[in-house]
């Protein structure tokens, strides 16, 4: 399978980076073709440009500034997102990636008559999110109801790639994690990526 990993953390020595390295290694060991996208290392600017926003509802969205990332997205049959949650949400750079790269004519098409959007990422089969939260599971899932996961699954994926399966692995209570808890999570990531399909 053609898989793109999308890494969103500024520190190469972070736990998120270790998760990303583990995922890439397991995917390649399983015979997948993997392209790595490191948003910080590539200097990705998350804010929509004037050209992008002004062409958002026109027939030709101007994605020229992110053409390479658009090409990678269209190439992908699987996506693996590696990032931490900060304040129960994605890092700003990742939100900007969705805003700019998953644009009209790329990830979806506006249906002028029905007032909805129609999915265009029909070749995307599986999406994985490998993430962490500083907060414990009960606070993230029971109290906050994990808003970023709901938006990503029910908003972004349902609109752009409704056929794609979503895998979601999170290390909770990261602020009090231990070497043992981090190792357990990396083992889960390795196992999950070795059976990615």
């Amino acid at each position: 399978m053609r898989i793109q990993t999308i890494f969103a953390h500024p520190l190469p020595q972070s736990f998120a980076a270790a998760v990303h390295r583990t995922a890439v290694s397991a995917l390649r060991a399983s015979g997948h073709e993997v392209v790595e996208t490191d948003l910080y290392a590539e200097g990705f600017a998350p804010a929509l440009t004037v050209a992008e926003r002004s062409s958002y509802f026109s027939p030709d969205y101007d994605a020229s500034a992110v053409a390479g990332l658009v090409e990678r997205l269209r190439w992908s049959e699987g996506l693996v997102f590696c990032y931490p949650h900060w304040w129960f949400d994605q890092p700003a750079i990742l939100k900007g990636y969705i805003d700019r790269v998953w644009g009209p004519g790329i990830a979806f098409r506006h249906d002028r008559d029905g007032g909805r959007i129609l999915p265009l990422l029909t070749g995307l089969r599986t999406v994985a999110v490998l993430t962490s939260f500083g907060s414990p599971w009960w606070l993230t899932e029971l109290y906050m109801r994990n808003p970023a996961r709901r938006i990503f699954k029910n908003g972004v994926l349902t609109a752009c790639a409704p056929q794609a399966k979503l895998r979601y692995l999170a290390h909770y209570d990261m602020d009090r994690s231990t070497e043992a808890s981090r190792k357990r999570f990396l083992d889960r990531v390795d196992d999950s990526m070795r059976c990615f399909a």
Side-chain angles (χ1 to χ4, degrees), residues 51-84:
E52 289 162 356
R53 186 57 196 161
S54 35
S55 65
Y56 205 81
F57 291 97
S58 74
D60 295 310
Y61 172 64
D62 183 355
S64 57
V66 291
L69 290 170
V70 168
E71 185 178 324
R72 283 181 233 172
L73 177 61
R74 287 179 168 152
W75 169 89
S76 303
E77 297 171 307
L79 296 174
V80 178
F81 290 90
C82 301
Y83 62 93

